[in-house]
Amino acid sequence: MIEHLTIRERTYNALLEMITIRQLQVGQVIDEVSLARMLNVSRTPLREAIRQLVIEGLVTARPYRGHAIRSLTTKELNDLYSVRKELEVLAIRGAVPRMTDADIAELEGLLDRGVQAPADRRPARLRQPRQGVPRPYR
């Protein structure tokens, strides 16, 4: 089924991705004119998307100064990682019993390629060769 998104939804998704990949930096003031031009949308759907991001707590509204990308507190980050960890555990518990040998081999290949990626693009903790990392359950 093809999902049709409104311009506001597509704009929201684009802004969310820009925040996620840090194309829009924490503390950065949102320049509506430039963003609208870059995303090829009018300012109305852009403002609607920004309003949704304010509701979700990713953007702060600053009266008479526009909007800015908000930083998360340590507690918020810890809460997010806790939820993510639990969701990943549930996903793994559901996926492992259904995995084939081909699925496991593909995952091992992805893990090996990740370890072999250029060192300058990875944090120091990921630059070491894979040792002692358990293989997926068979």
PDB file of all heavy atoms in Angstrom, residues 19 25 31 36 66 70 72 78 92-93 96 108 117 130:
ATOM      1  N   ILE A  19      17.130  17.263  12.076  1.00  0.00           N
ATOM      2  CA  ILE A  19      17.501  17.350  13.489  1.00  0.00           C
ATOM      3  C   ILE A  19      18.243  16.082  13.905  1.00  0.00           C
ATOM      4  O   ILE A  19      19.278  16.144  14.568  1.00  0.00           O
ATOM      5  CB  ILE A  19      16.254  17.571  14.373  1.00  0.00           C
ATOM      6  CG1 ILE A  19      15.666  18.959  14.100  1.00  0.00           C
ATOM      7  CG2 ILE A  19      16.594  17.405  15.856  1.00  0.00           C
ATOM      8  CD1 ILE A  19      14.286  19.180  14.712  1.00  0.00           C
ATOM      9  N   GLN A  25      21.528  22.099  14.075  1.00  0.00           N
ATOM     10  CA  GLN A  25      22.267  21.917  15.326  1.00  0.00           C
ATOM     11  C   GLN A  25      21.474  22.400  16.537  1.00  0.00           C
ATOM     12  O   GLN A  25      20.639  23.299  16.423  1.00  0.00           O
ATOM     13  CB  GLN A  25      23.589  22.692  15.267  1.00  0.00           C
ATOM     14  CG  GLN A  25      24.526  22.253  14.167  1.00  0.00           C
ATOM     15  CD  GLN A  25      25.145  20.906  14.472  1.00  0.00           C
ATOM     16  OE1 GLN A  25      25.530  20.633  15.601  1.00  0.00           O
ATOM     17  NE2 GLN A  25      25.234  20.057  13.471  1.00  0.00           N
ATOM     18  N   ASP A  31      15.659  29.289  10.458  1.00  0.00           N
ATOM     19  CA  ASP A  31      15.434  30.334   9.454  1.00  0.00           C
ATOM     20  C   ASP A  31      14.343  29.834   8.511  1.00  0.00           C
ATOM     21  O   ASP A  31      14.602  29.045   7.602  1.00  0.00           O
ATOM     22  CB  ASP A  31      16.742  30.604   8.708  1.00  0.00           C
ATOM     23  CG  ASP A  31      16.611  31.651   7.620  1.00  0.00           C
ATOM     24  OD1 ASP A  31      15.475  32.110   7.359  1.00  0.00           O
ATOM     25  OD2 ASP A  31      17.640  31.999   7.029  1.00  0.00           O
ATOM     26  N   ALA A  36      12.271  26.902   4.024  1.00  0.00           N
ATOM     27  CA  ALA A  36      11.171  26.756   3.071  1.00  0.00           C
ATOM     28  C   ALA A  36      11.712  26.654   1.649  1.00  0.00           C
ATOM     29  O   ALA A  36      11.265  25.819   0.858  1.00  0.00           O
ATOM     30  CB  ALA A  36      10.200  27.930   3.198  1.00  0.00           C
ATOM     31  N   GLY A  66      11.786  33.756  17.185  1.00  0.00           N
ATOM     32  CA  GLY A  66      11.663  32.573  16.352  1.00  0.00           C
ATOM     33  C   GLY A  66      11.756  31.284  17.135  1.00  0.00           C
ATOM     34  O   GLY A  66      11.493  31.227  18.333  1.00  0.00           O
ATOM     35  N   ARG A  70      16.127  22.426  20.286  1.00  0.00           N
ATOM     36  CA  ARG A  70      16.301  22.269  21.727  1.00  0.00           C
ATOM     37  C   ARG A  70      17.234  21.107  22.040  1.00  0.00           C
ATOM     38  O   ARG A  70      17.224  20.093  21.372  1.00  0.00           O
ATOM     39  CB  ARG A  70      14.940  22.004  22.361  1.00  0.00           C
ATOM     40  CG  ARG A  70      14.952  21.860  23.865  1.00  0.00           C
ATOM     41  CD  ARG A  70      13.550  21.823  24.415  1.00  0.00           C
ATOM     42  NE  ARG A  70      12.997  20.546  24.770  1.00  0.00           N
ATOM     43  CZ  ARG A  70      13.499  19.693  25.644  1.00  0.00           C
ATOM     44  NH1 ARG A  70      14.622  19.918  26.234  1.00  0.00           N
ATOM     45  NH2 ARG A  70      12.870  18.577  25.924  1.00  0.00           N
ATOM     46  N   LEU A  72      18.376  18.115  24.670  1.00  0.00           N
ATOM     47  CA  LEU A  72      17.702  17.243  25.625  1.00  0.00           C
ATOM     48  C   LEU A  72      18.491  17.207  26.920  1.00  0.00           C
ATOM     49  O   LEU A  72      19.718  17.267  26.907  1.00  0.00           O
ATOM     50  CB  LEU A  72      17.574  15.830  25.052  1.00  0.00           C
ATOM     51  CG  LEU A  72      16.768  15.705  23.760  1.00  0.00           C
ATOM     52  CD1 LEU A  72      16.794  14.280  23.250  1.00  0.00           C
ATOM     53  CD2 LEU A  72      15.337  16.163  23.969  1.00  0.00           C
ATOM     54  N   ASN A  78      18.529   9.671  29.004  1.00  0.00           N
ATOM     55  CA  ASN A  78      18.510   8.372  29.688  1.00  0.00           C
ATOM     56  C   ASN A  78      17.174   7.679  29.511  1.00  0.00           C
ATOM     57  O   ASN A  78      17.113   6.471  29.272  1.00  0.00           O
ATOM     58  CB  ASN A  78      18.842   8.544  31.176  1.00  0.00           C
ATOM     59  CG  ASN A  78      20.294   8.839  31.407  1.00  0.00           C
ATOM     60  OD1 ASN A  78      21.157   8.487  30.607  1.00  0.00           O
ATOM     61  ND2 ASN A  78      20.588   9.512  32.514  1.00  0.00           N
ATOM     62  N   ILE A  92      14.138  -8.104  19.107  1.00  0.00           N
ATOM     63  CA  ILE A  92      15.054  -9.242  18.958  1.00  0.00           C
ATOM     64  C   ILE A  92      14.375 -10.532  19.390  1.00  0.00           C
ATOM     65  O   ILE A  92      14.482 -11.562  18.718  1.00  0.00           O
ATOM     66  CB  ILE A  92      16.361  -8.994  19.738  1.00  0.00           C
ATOM     67  CG1 ILE A  92      17.154  -7.885  19.055  1.00  0.00           C
ATOM     68  CG2 ILE A  92      17.183 -10.268  19.857  1.00  0.00           C
ATOM     69  CD1 ILE A  92      18.314  -7.351  19.881  1.00  0.00           C
ATOM     70  N   ARG A  93      13.673 -10.489  20.516  1.00  0.00           N
ATOM     71  CA  ARG A  93      12.966 -11.693  20.999  1.00  0.00           C
ATOM     72  C   ARG A  93      11.951 -12.184  19.969  1.00  0.00           C
ATOM     73  O   ARG A  93      11.729 -13.376  19.831  1.00  0.00           O
ATOM     74  CB  ARG A  93      12.274 -11.413  22.319  1.00  0.00           C
ATOM     75  CG  ARG A  93      13.220 -11.377  23.480  1.00  0.00           C
ATOM     76  CD  ARG A  93      12.482 -11.237  24.794  1.00  0.00           C
ATOM     77  NE  ARG A  93      13.443 -11.166  25.879  1.00  0.00           N
ATOM     78  CZ  ARG A  93      13.248 -10.530  27.000  1.00  0.00           C
ATOM     79  NH1 ARG A  93      12.103  -9.893  27.215  1.00  0.00           N
ATOM     80  NH2 ARG A  93      14.170 -10.504  27.930  1.00  0.00           N
ATOM     81  N   VAL A  96      14.403 -13.388  16.497  1.00  0.00           N
ATOM     82  CA  VAL A  96      15.360 -14.499  16.553  1.00  0.00           C
ATOM     83  C   VAL A  96      14.718 -15.851  16.232  1.00  0.00           C
ATOM     84  O   VAL A  96      15.263 -16.608  15.432  1.00  0.00           O
ATOM     85  CB  VAL A  96      16.106 -14.520  17.909  1.00  0.00           C
ATOM     86  CG1 VAL A  96      16.853 -15.821  18.122  1.00  0.00           C
ATOM     87  CG2 VAL A  96      17.064 -13.335  17.990  1.00  0.00           C
ATOM     88  N   GLU A 108      25.734 -11.124  10.238  1.00  0.00           N
ATOM     89  CA  GLU A 108      27.168 -11.225  10.537  1.00  0.00           C
ATOM     90  C   GLU A 108      27.982 -10.432   9.531  1.00  0.00           C
ATOM     91  O   GLU A 108      28.946  -9.756   9.891  1.00  0.00           O
ATOM     92  CB  GLU A 108      27.596 -12.686  10.565  1.00  0.00           C
ATOM     93  CG  GLU A 108      27.067 -13.426  11.785  1.00  0.00           C
ATOM     94  CD  GLU A 108      27.350 -14.923  11.750  1.00  0.00           C
ATOM     95  OE1 GLU A 108      27.634 -15.467  10.650  1.00  0.00           O
ATOM     96  OE2 GLU A 108      27.279 -15.539  12.817  1.00  0.00           O
ATOM     97  N   ALA A 117      34.615  -0.420   8.396  1.00  0.00           N
ATOM     98  CA  ALA A 117      34.371   0.910   7.829  1.00  0.00           C
ATOM     99  C   ALA A 117      35.553   1.825   8.138  1.00  0.00           C
ATOM    100  O   ALA A 117      36.301   1.589   9.076  1.00  0.00           O
ATOM    101  CB  ALA A 117      33.083   1.492   8.398  1.00  0.00           C
ATOM    102  N   ARG A 130      36.410  -6.922  15.979  1.00  0.00           N
ATOM    103  CA  ARG A 130      35.381  -7.609  16.744  1.00  0.00           C
ATOM    104  C   ARG A 130      35.990  -8.793  17.486  1.00  0.00           C
ATOM    105  O   ARG A 130      36.480  -9.726  16.880  1.00  0.00           O
ATOM    106  CB  ARG A 130      34.294  -8.057  15.773  1.00  0.00           C
ATOM    107  CG  ARG A 130      33.126  -8.685  16.413  1.00  0.00           C
ATOM    108  CD  ARG A 130      32.054  -8.832  15.395  1.00  0.00           C
ATOM    109  NE  ARG A 130      32.112 -10.161  14.821  1.00  0.00           N
ATOM    110  CZ  ARG A 130      31.144 -10.681  14.096  1.00  0.00           C
ATOM    111  NH1 ARG A 130      30.093  -9.975  13.841  1.00  0.00           N
ATOM    112  NH2 ARG A 130      31.252 -11.882  13.616  1.00  0.00           N
TER     113      ARG A 130
END
